[in-house]
């Protein structure tokens, strides 16, 4: 070159498997490079130099990162599942690793596995309604962070690579969306999603299901006499005692101010009545006090079963039947269980 020229040089920064080319202003002259025609210019070590940026490769999993599936639709929306080295079978069957009992999902719908290189992949298990990554139906596909995974027509999940803090935050957000902040049992919104799903499952399996509508007797008197903090303590204590009487598969939710609902899975009317009586006795045995005075707490419980209703009856009808029987229990003296309809003369018949 006859004249010394000034231009920008390229400095290459390497990060793991990716290369990012960053232009940096410089006053140093560019040296003349002799090369054979068609050859790429090289550096001092003789390696070819590239003047165009390289696209970053896939980000490797760092030590504190983990793969997750976040449910985006259905009654489990917001729930986060962490994936590890073990294969995870997803479906509505009770023996699936990840049970999601949603419409259109097969018993064993899909399997997510981790390949030896650390990448995750999904395999369809001959499902009826298909497995989709994005908009494409797949039999087998690799998963990238941010991919939308869909099982059947409705169930959508997001695959992501997150760190421990993000995973913990996602779990907390889910719990706060489905739990009652006072009693920590499920809230009314969760009940509204869970009840139709449990009814649909019971009908598919040709099994029964029962509801317990539980009302805390005299809560207003406690609030008026000792304050709402005492009333809150009563609700929390009652919820904890009810949970002790239930099975693992049963669901307890707060339905309203002083009302709770139990979904008793696979339970007929008679057994649900016995369960309700066990709950009633457990609450009655509580020893509570406020301002140095004993506070006696009891419950009135209405019981209804799916078998009592027509095949296509809405979930709200089952809830209303349990609610009406709870009202019977209250008007007939409280602290009792009602699991039958009133006779012709209108007098309620409590369960004993």
């Amino acid at each position: 070159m006859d004249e010394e020229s000034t231009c920008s040089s390229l400095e290459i920064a390497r990060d793991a498997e990716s290369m990012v080319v960053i232009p940096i202003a410089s006053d140093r002259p560019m040296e003349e490079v002799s090369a054979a025609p068609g050859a790429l210019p090289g550096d001092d070590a003789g390696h070819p130099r590239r003047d165009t940026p390289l696209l970053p490769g896939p980000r490797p999993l760092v030590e504190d990162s983990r793969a997750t599936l976040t449910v985006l639709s259905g009654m489990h929306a917001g729930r986060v599942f962490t994936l590890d080295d073990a294969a995870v079978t997803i479906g509505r069957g009770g023996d699936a690793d990840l049970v999601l009992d949603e419409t259109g999902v097969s018993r064993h719908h899909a399997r997510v596995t981790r390949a030896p290189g650390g990448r995750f992949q999904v395999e369809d298990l001959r499902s009826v309604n298909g497995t989709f990554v994005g908009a494409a139906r797949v039999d087998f596909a690799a998963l990238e962070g941010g991919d939308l995974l869909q099982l059947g027509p409705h169930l959508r999940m997001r695959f992501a690579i997150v760190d421990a803090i993000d995973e913990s935050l996602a779990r907390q957000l889910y719990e706060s969306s489905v739990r009652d902040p006072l009693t920590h049992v499920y809230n009314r919104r969760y009940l509204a999603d869970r009840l139709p799903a449990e009814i649909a499952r019971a009908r598919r399996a040709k099994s029964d299901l029962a509801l317990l509508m539980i009302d805390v007797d005299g809560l207003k008197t406690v609030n008026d006499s000792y304050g709402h903090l005492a009333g809150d303590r009563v609700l929390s204590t009652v919820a904890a005692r009810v949970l002790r009487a239930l099975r693992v598969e049963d669901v307890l939710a707060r339905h309203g101010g002083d009302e709770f609902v139990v979904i008793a899975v696979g339970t007929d009317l008679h057994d649900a009545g016995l369960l309700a009586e066990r709950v009633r006795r457990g609450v009655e045995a509580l020893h509570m006090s406020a301002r140095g005075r004993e506070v006696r707490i009891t419950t009135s419980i209405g019981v209804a079963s799916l078998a009592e209703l027509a095949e296509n009856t809405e979930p709200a009808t089952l809830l209303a039947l349990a609610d009406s029987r709870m009202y019977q229990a209250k008007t007939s003296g409280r602290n009792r269980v009602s699991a039958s309809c009133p006779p012709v003369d209108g007098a309620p018949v409590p369960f004993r």
Side-chain angles (χ1 to χ4, degrees):
M1 298 176 67
D2 296 331
E3 296 183 0
E4 186 176 43
S5 60
T6 303
C7 67
S8 297
S9 65
L10 297 177
E11 194 169 295
I12 302 179
R14 289 182 172 83
D15 141 340
E17 298 178 27
S18 64
M19 299 180 63
V20 181
V21 180
I22 308 171
I24 300 177
S26 173
D27 293 330
R28 292 178 298 174
M30 176 178 282
E31 297 180 1
E32 184 173 3
V33 178
S34 297
L40 289 173
D43 56 18
D44 292 339
H47 300 113
R49 189 184 70 215
R50 299 181 183 275
D51 291 337
T52 56
L54 299 180
L55 296 177
R59 292 182 58 186
L61 290 177
V62 296
E63 188 174 345
D64 67 340
S65 294
R66 61 284 316 273
T68 61
L69 286 175
T70 302
V71 182
L72 304 179
S73 61
M75 69 175 178
H76 298 289
R79 192 172 179 183
V80 180
F81 301 92
T82 302
L83 303 171
D84 52 28
D85 292 336
V88 176
T89 300
I90 308 172
R92 61 177 176 82
D95 57 343
D97 300 307
L98 178 50
V99 179
L100 295 173
D101 192 7
E102 302 284 352
T103 303
V105 175
S106 299
R107 289 184 56 80
H108 298 150
H109 196 108
R111 181 185 295 116
V112 177
T113 56
R114 188 172 188 174
R119 303 291 291 274
F120 284 85
Q121 51 207 13
V122 62
E123 176 188 3
D124 182 77
L125 301 179
R126 298 182 179 179
S127 64
V128 175
N129 295 307
T131 299
F132 300 81
V133 176
R137 183 166 182 167
V138 299
D139 293 323
F140 187 90
L143 292 174
E144 301 286 349
D147 276 349
L148 181 66
L149 180 63
Q150 180 172 325
L151 307 185
H154 305 298
L155 179 62
R156 294 179 176 86
M157 294 181 285
R158 178 77 66 188
F159 174 80
I161 304 296
V162 299
D163 60 25
I165 296 177
D166 287 339
E167 181 194 23
S168 176
L169 177 60
R171 292 186 185 280
Q172 292 176 31
L173 289 174
Y174 171 71
E175 287 297 316
S176 65
S177 71
V178 299
R179 297 282 181 178
D180 174 58
L182 175 63
T183 62
H184 303 295
V185 300
Y186 289 114
N187 58 24
R188 185 167 183 163
R189 173 191 167 189
Y190 181 84
L191 176 67
D193 291 335
R194 184 70 180 265
L195 181 57
E198 291 294 347
I199 289 176
R201 177 159 60 179
R203 284 173 172 161
R204 284 198 304 268
K206 300 188 184 306
S207 63
D208 211 341
L209 175 145
L211 282 190
L212 279 61
M213 178 71 76
I214 305 170
D215 184 86
V216 181
D217 298 325
L219 184 64
K220 184 178 185 303
T221 301
V222 173
N223 287 331
D224 293 344
S225 302
Y226 305 106
H228 286 274
L229 288 179
D232 289 348
R233 188 157 55 93
V234 165
L235 286 172
S236 298
T237 305
V238 168
R241 180 53 61 94
V242 173
L243 278 173
R244 288 178 57 184
L246 302 182
R247 303 165 301 172
V248 174
E249 61 267 32
D250 296 331
V251 178
L252 175 63
R254 188 178 178 190
H255 186 250
D258 57 356
E259 294 179 348
F260 297 90
V261 171
V262 173
I263 304 176
V265 179
T267 306
D268 60 21
L269 185 63
H270 181 267
D271 288 344
L274 296 176
L275 172 61
E277 183 62 21
R278 186 162 69 246
V279 168
R280 185 197 68 78
R281 290 178 180 174
V283 173
E284 185 183 35
L286 288 171
H287 296 283
M288 303 186 65
S289 63
R291 299 179 185 174
R293 301 179 62 181
E294 182 182 5
V295 177
R296 184 171 181 266
I297 298 299
T298 61
T299 54
S300 298
I301 307 176
V303 183
S305 75
L306 188 62
E308 298 179 89
L309 305 176
E311 179 67 24
N312 296 321
T313 303
E314 293 293 324
T317 305
L318 181 61
L319 200 60
L321 180 58
D323 185 65
S324 67
R325 290 176 178 172
M326 181 270 292
Y327 182 74
Q328 293 174 26
K330 291 190 76 69
T331 56
S332 60
R334 300 185 178 185
N335 191 25
R336 62 189 63 210
V337 174
S338 176
S340 60
C341 295
V344 178
D345 62 7
V349 179
F351 181 91
R352 288 300 187 194

